[in-house]
Amino acid sequence: MEKQQAIDEQLRKYFPDLPSGPLDNYRKKASFDWRRMKLVYDSLNTIKLKHDVWSFMEGHPLFKHTEATRELDDERHITTKRMYTIYNEQFLRFEKIAEDPKAFQAESEALFMFDSSLAVKVSLTFRMFSNAIQGNGKGHHYHLIEDVEKAKIGGCFALTEVSHGSNAKGMRTTATYVPEKRQFVMHSADFEAAKCWVGSLGKCATHAIVYAMLISKGKNHGLHTFVVPIRDPKTLKPYPGVIVGDLGEKIGLNGVDNGFVMFNNYHLPKEAALDKLGGVNDAGDYETPFRDPNKRFGAALGILSGGRVHITSISTCYLQKAIVIAIRYSAVRKQFGPENAAEETPVLEYQQQQIRLLPYLAATYAMKIFSVWLSFTHINMAISNFMGDDKNAAARGIELHALSSAVKPLFGWTSRDGIQNCRESCGGHGYLKAAAIGDLRNDNDANCTYEGENSLLLQQSSNWLLNVWARRNTLTPDDSPLNSLQFLDNVDQLLKEKCSWKTVEDAVDPTNLIKTYKWLTAYMLKMTSEKVAALKSQGKDNFAAKNESQTFNAVTLSIVYGENYVLNHFYKSAVEYNDVNCRVVLLKLVSLYGAFLLEKHLATLYIGGYLSGQQGALVREGLVRACAAVTPDAVALADTLAPPDFCLKSVLGMADGEAYKHIQSSVMTYPGSMTRPEWWRDVVYWQSYAPSKL
Amino acid sequence: MEKQQAIDEQLRKYFPDLPSGPLDNYRKKASFDWRRMKLVYDSLNTIKLKHDVWSFMEGHPLFKHTEATRELDDERHITTKRMYTIYNEQFLRFEKIAEDPKAFQAESEALFMFDSSLAVKVSLTFRMFSNAIQGNGKGHHYHLIEDVEKAKIGGCFALTEVSHGSNAKGMRTTATYVPEKRQFVMHSADFEAAKCWVGSLGKCATHAIVYAMLISKGKNHGLHTFVVPIRDPKTLKPYPGVIVGDLGEKIGLNGVDNGFVMFNNYHLPKEAALDKLGGVNDAGDYETPFRDPNKRFGAALGILSGGRVHITSISTCYLQKAIVIAIRYSAVRKQFGPENAAEETPVLEYQQQQIRLLPYLAATYAMKIFSVWLSFTHINMAISNFMGDDKNAAARGIELHALSSAVKPLFGWTSRDGIQNCRESCGGHGYLKAAAIGDLRNDNDANCTYEGENSLLLQQSSNWLLNVWARRNTLTPDDSPLNSLQFLDNVDQLLKEKCSWKTVEDAVDPTNLIKTYKWLTAYMLKMTSEKVAALKSQGKDNFAAKNESQTFNAVTLSIVYGENYVLNHFYKSAVEYNDVNCRVVLLKLVSLYGAFLLEKHLATLYIGGYLSGQQGALVREGLVRACAAVTPDAVALADTLAPPDFCLKSVLGMADGEAYKHIQSSVMTYPGSMTRPEWWRDVVYWQSYAPSKL
Ligand SMILES: Cc1cc2nc3c(=O)[nH]c(=O)nc-3n(C[C@H](O)[C@H](O)[C@H](O)COP(=O)(O)OP(=O)(O)OC[C@H]3O[C@@H](n4cnc5c(N)ncnc54)[C@H](O)[C@@H]3O)c2cc1C
Ligand SMILES: Cc1cc2nc3c(=O)[nH]c(=O)nc-3n(C[C@H](O)[C@H](O)[C@H](O)COP(=O)(O)OP(=O)(O)OC[C@H]3O[C@@H](n4cnc5c(N)ncnc54)[C@H](O)[C@@H]3O)c2cc1C
């Protein structure tokens, strides 16, 4: 009791009362404490960390937004300055991560909530570079980690080439060992072999982690990593032999200077090879601690799994911002109403508005809780790998790989669709740049592509699941330390069951939803496995059989597997949450999220014979009702999720709910908005450049 | 035969052979003549018109693209100059539209293919303004039409207000008649009553069509139109009493200057009222040729239906460009391949790539054919209304309203999803601004909102359908001159039927698909009607009952009604097409499109009892196979749809298929791409602005 009081006091300190205004009505209706709800995914520690970062930004002139979009070069400039400024503050020292592994995700979230380009730049320049050296390098490389930690040099990560991205094995950058000189000669045969898309390489990076084919004594030993000097850290001029440039404008993330680089017989000392996992000795003979070369390749690419984990959390941040904007605006936007009503109705009250927003509000909670946990789990794994104290590290690693390969696409796509719904739900004003939803969409778009194109990544999970299916009768808990295979318990029995729902209530009961998901996941796995087998029995090789069992099979399987895990995790977190009012609302969100997910798979449930008759209609009715049930709490749920106004920077979504006032102030102060254009003569005297034929 | 030769010759003249290169392989596989296929939606006349417009642009310096996005003001400037330059050429004189009503859509398409902002500006400044005066004004207003046709003045269309858009009846701009002065006083009470989002008002327009509440003798007569001088055509300075400004940046369409305006007791002569359909006499007494005031309101808003028709065609143009880019790029992008294969496989060959693109390729054909027809039908209607020679004009108008209210959202959303799939299917390079897909997405986004927010527009169709359902047993062909109610033939019998498919072939047979769609449309209408009735019998009023029957009922109904019509129209056009090779391919596209549409409604078909057992799985398998069947023709189908390269302006989608060369040239010539940033010191000496704590 006293403890709760102390916590509440802390929360109040970080989150003072929200400004009174048009949102008061909804806030009064809330059935729970919006501050306490934060602790379902945050801790006082992570809250404090984010608060520190945001307070610093709020007081610093570099972190003020401009009305008009900057030109590309200016955008890069300010993002770079912000990067050094924020990095220099060291909000999260390495030691602190070990103390509270959740701090890592929290700091990243604080940056993403402010500006995604900034967050990406920090992560590429400092973190990814250090991690790559830590993971693939030896003692004599560690001075580079010190340099980058001191920001004397800046890193980047160069895997993708112009003509090869997903198919890393097809890459064509070569590093040929010359034993006489103890050097590697790095070379790009043509522009198609240029490294490209490399974030922070366009303008800034001094060093790159480069993946190249290691060639020695005429033999190609496959892809290896090298740390390659690109620009002189004192002048930022590229070294001779390095042709480096910027990719120009992108759909989003324009503060990040994505670049390309070609190497023209560029000589590197032998020490450039990050050869902990394999490389040549001075004589040019190949040596590796791995017996199976595939294992080395896997381990070398292993560094990428952290990226996927990170992206589940990035996607969540984008959706989180969009949903806050759309919910708050829908609560103050009034349009139409019953005949003779004194006031128009907030559009949030309309069924068709609810169905487009509230499932994504529920999804945001599910995703937030899950992504915080995933990041925490990933870091804990890294720590225990480092300590060597996890006996089951390999199985855990593989399962995490499969799970993150499913959830990264799932979250990228959920955010994509959710943000789009938010955009449209805000009507005309949602199309304002100043509403901020368009930029969220543009930035999130990249999440569907980098760190593994979504559709391809799903193949990683399904491959593992198919493998698991074959040995489903001999699985032990050790095969699934994260418990993502729980749906295989008693699977043969399970698949014989049929759905027993009779009422709308049945259809949205969390435990029923979870049971159905279990069935669905198992069914999809069985179907996919049978499909692959059928294709093979028609004489197709593995490559063809795998390709031709993607649509409606393997792809759906991986998505369902991810959804199943996230739904279960959400339910568990809700049931266990200590605050009773919050718990009641969380369980409503679980129902809503579950019914929303399931509705998309109704056809499969019928095809599989699990559902029959009108049961699908019960889910739909249940979903609509679950939306209505959450509506009175929607604004408070958005308040819980909302970052500070200066991060949200949306005229529609501010905490005070004064959308029209913010629109007015924004349009009236937009540079030049009220003045006659300088080129007014080209309107009045258009015949001066187009002699009239009219 | 000879005639065909002459046609082929003409086609060759307009469309010379495409450049040889990486796309040759696929082009050789094509089973039909890509030039002849154009005539399924175009005529030699419309082809010539588009050719003329494009040739003019291609030879004119103003129509050259820049690498870097222009600043907002520059973008407006060049769009305005292009507008006058192209309008001045008078590619389509009024007389020619009557000669060939298809020319209207063709000219607009030519502009949209080049730049959407340009097309929108032309349409708002000249066409919409003239139409509004024609429709609502009297003889003494026609001098304004002459002025705008001579481009002495420029128009815009001001309906939306800051706090009221969809709910036009709630608008608050007032025009109060003062009989002593024979004047109206136009006033905006506050910023929330400001007209906003008005295209071309931000910087350019001299006159606006303004919708305001007409008040006379203390009585509010509802929304009426006025033609209001905004800026002096000689100086472009706003008149006193007019506070006009620009909305600033938007998500897309940034060449268009959307603006807002507030009137401060602004005096207008009585002649400002466009009072053909109703208004006050000199004494201030209200007079109207309509007996029912709702009819006047309907007629006054009637002008908007042309906008919806127009948007079906705009959405189609956007998707058309995106799909051309993605198909061509997927044909040249190779990644992975069977073990030991000499070459990697074009990604277009992968099932999961096909399912994301080919249904949208089919959809583009369906949409193209339909939107050309819809525009033609709409213009013919306008002409015969003008002539007064259509005895069934009222019914035709109502049906067109319902149909376009369904199809405008359907097409906006299909383009939205298709463009997004194109974006993702192009992997990393699809995220380049120079790939051009991002801008298509941003521009199309507005299609979901303006001229009626999609979700709300669907309610217009469903309202009409519900009304029709009630009198389904007494309908005559006169009720449905466009034949969109054909699904109601024998409906009671129809709804008793069950699906009889047994094979995958059955499931994608066009006539079977069409039959199923008929059932589905009828079923959705019946269900929605029963839902509304059930809600009313629970005591809900009409407003509540309509609102609570949207999700999974009325909204789906309208979409299905639109899909049904478009699918039937596509099938008819395919079957009747004279070229046999083209016909075969078109019928494959009909199968693909039909199966694609139907797959989304499988659950409903099970719930309704039409499908049972594994029939849904047959549709899915059929869909996947239909994709594979279209793949060899996909590039040629894209060639048919492709505008000239300078319109497409995508490094990934050029006709020569040399994606990598165009990427190289684009990134290497992007301003500043290869140079050290001016701000390099802020990287090297970052401590100068952030004293190091590291
Ligand atoms: C903003 C951004 C930042 C980036 N930053 C970096 C960075 O810092 N460093 C770096 O190295 N890279 C970076 N990348 C590159 C990124 O990792 C790749 O673009 C991504 O991995 C996708 O690869 P790709 O472009 O080769 O796609 P492709 O493989 O060419 O994909 C094209 C299409 O083909 C399909 N396809 C390919 N193979 C198959 C198959 N076997 N079966 C079915 N379909 C298939 C894909 O699903 C996709 O639809 C970045 C990219 C972006 C957009
Ligand atoms: C690029 C662009 C150009 C434009 N050009 C012009 C122009 O030239 N002239 C002009 O006058 N206007 C213009 N507009 C304005 C446009 O017509 C309106 O924005 C559009 O009609 C939508 O209205 P709204 O903004 O009021 O949306 P709102 O009605 O506020 O919609 C917000 C949300 O509420 C929902 N909603 C509202 N009522 C209901 C209900 N009863 N039931 C269920 N849901 C409901 C909507 O579906 C939507 O999701 C333009 C807009 C844009 C974006």
Side-chain angles (χ1 to χ4, degrees), chain A residues 124 128 157-161 163-167 196-199 250 252-253 258 446 449-453 455-456 459 543 547 550, chain B residues 329-330 333-336 347 350-353 356 423-429 431:
Chain A
L124 291 171
M128 226 166 155
F157 187 87
L159 171 61
T160 307
E161 294 177 1
S163 70
H164 285 93
S166 307
N167 183 12
C196 76
W197 279 107
V198 185
K250 304 183 300 281
L253 291 172
N258 287 83
T449 300
Y450 55 26
E451 304 281 347
E453 207 280 327
S455 288
L456 288 175
Q459 213 160 338
F543 181 77
N547 275 324
Q550 291 296 308
Chain B
Y329 180 63
S330 296
R333 176 72 172 176
K334 295 177 180 173
Q335 206 79 185
F336 301 100
V347 297
Y350 294 117
Q351 189 179 74
Q352 192 58 18
Q353 189 82 350
R356 290 189 288 161
R423 210 310 281 147
E424 293 179 32
S425 297
C426 291
H429 298 324
Y431 199 68

Side-chain angles (χ1 to χ4, degrees), chain B residues 271-387:
Chain B
E271 286 68 31
L274 294 168
D275 49 6
K276 182 163 91 182
L277 307 174
V280 291
N281 61 18
D282 282 3
D285 294 314
Y286 193 78
E287 292 173 354
T288 167
F290 292 92
R291 262 187 237 157
D292 176 352
N294 274 322
K295 286 244 164 92
R296 190 204 57 78
F297 186 69
L301 285 182
I303 182 154
L304 294 178
S305 85
R308 276 193 305 278
V309 170
H310 195 189
I311 291 177
T312 63
S313 152
I314 301 176
S315 301
T316 306
C317 286
Y318 294 151
L319 178 57
Q320 187 176 346
K321 288 175 83 170
I323 201 77
V324 169
I325 296 167
I327 296 277
R328 284 182 175 167
Y329 180 63
S330 296
V332 300
R333 176 72 172 176
K334 295 177 180 173
Q335 206 79 185
F336 301 100
E339 249 178 274
N340 306 322
E343 276 205 23
E344 287 176 289
T345 305
V347 297
L348 187 57
E349 295 298 318
Y350 294 117
Q351 189 179 74
Q352 192 58 18
Q353 189 82 350
Q354 292 173 1
I355 195 74
R356 290 189 288 161
L357 294 178
L358 299 181
Y360 290 100
L361 179 63
T364 309
Y365 273 88
M367 289 160 68
K368 192 86 202 163
I369 293 170
F370 177 84
S371 62
V372 167
W373 170 83
L374 186 68
S375 163
F376 171 81
T377 304
H378 178 251
I379 287 172
N380 271 344
M381 259 178 63
I383 295 174
S384 41
N385 277 351
F386 191 74
M387 307 291 200

Side-chain angles (χ1 to χ4, degrees), chain B residues 417-586:
Chain B
D417 297 340
I419 293 170
Q420 183 64 29
N421 273 315
C422 291
R423 210 310 281 147
E424 293 179 32
S425 297
C426 291
H429 298 324
Y431 199 68
L432 283 173
K433 172 100 178 177
I437 308 178
D439 284 339
L440 291 170
R441 176 174 71 198
N442 287 338
D443 289 354
N444 183 65
D445 204 15
N447 283 339
C448 301
T449 300
Y450 55 27
E451 304 282 346
E453 206 280 327
N454 273 1
S455 289
L456 287 176
L457 218 44
L458 293 171
Q459 212 160 341
Q460 306 275 328
S461 322
S462 58
N463 281 345
W464 180 67
L465 290 168
L466 286 168
N467 196 306
V468 162
W469 177 254
R471 32 190 197 93
R472 67 187 174 286
N473 294 322
T474 57
L475 292 175
T476 70
D478 275 356
D479 282 302
S480 175
L482 303 175
N483 210 15
S484 78
L485 296 180
Q486 193 257 337
F487 69 94
L488 289 175
D489 289 356
N490 257 323
V491 61
D492 297 318
Q493 179 54 33
L494 172 70
L495 283 172
K496 283 183 203 138
E497 290 181 22
K498 296 208 180 308
C499 177
S500 61
W501 307 340
K502 297 205 168 50
T503 64
V504 173
E505 291 71 32
D506 289 344
V508 291
D509 175 80
T511 53
N512 285 342
L513 286 164
I514 278 173
K515 198 171 154 205
T516 307
Y517 246 91
K518 192 172 171 183
W519 187 94
L520 179 65
T521 316
Y523 174 75
M524 282 311 309
L525 180 47
K526 180 162 175 271
M527 284 297 103
T528 304
S529 165
E530 288 175 5
K531 178 84 188 176
V532 175
L535 288 163
K536 284 192 180 164
S537 78
Q538 285 165 31
K540 311 248 173 185
D541 64 14
N542 192 47
F543 181 77
K546 283 282 170 69
N547 277 324
E548 292 171 32
S549 57
Q550 291 296 309
T551 308
F552 302 122
N553 287 293
V555 166
T556 315
L557 163 63
S558 299
I559 288 287
V560 165
Y561 160 74
E563 290 171 342
N564 179 55
Y565 196 87
V566 174
L567 178 65
N568 274 279
H569 190 267
F570 190 21
Y571 176 61
K572 228 174 118 240
S573 312
V575 169
E576 290 170 3
Y577 198 56
N578 56 9
D579 183 272
V580 58
N581 289 340
C582 290
R583 187 162 64 236
V584 172
V585 177
L586 284 168

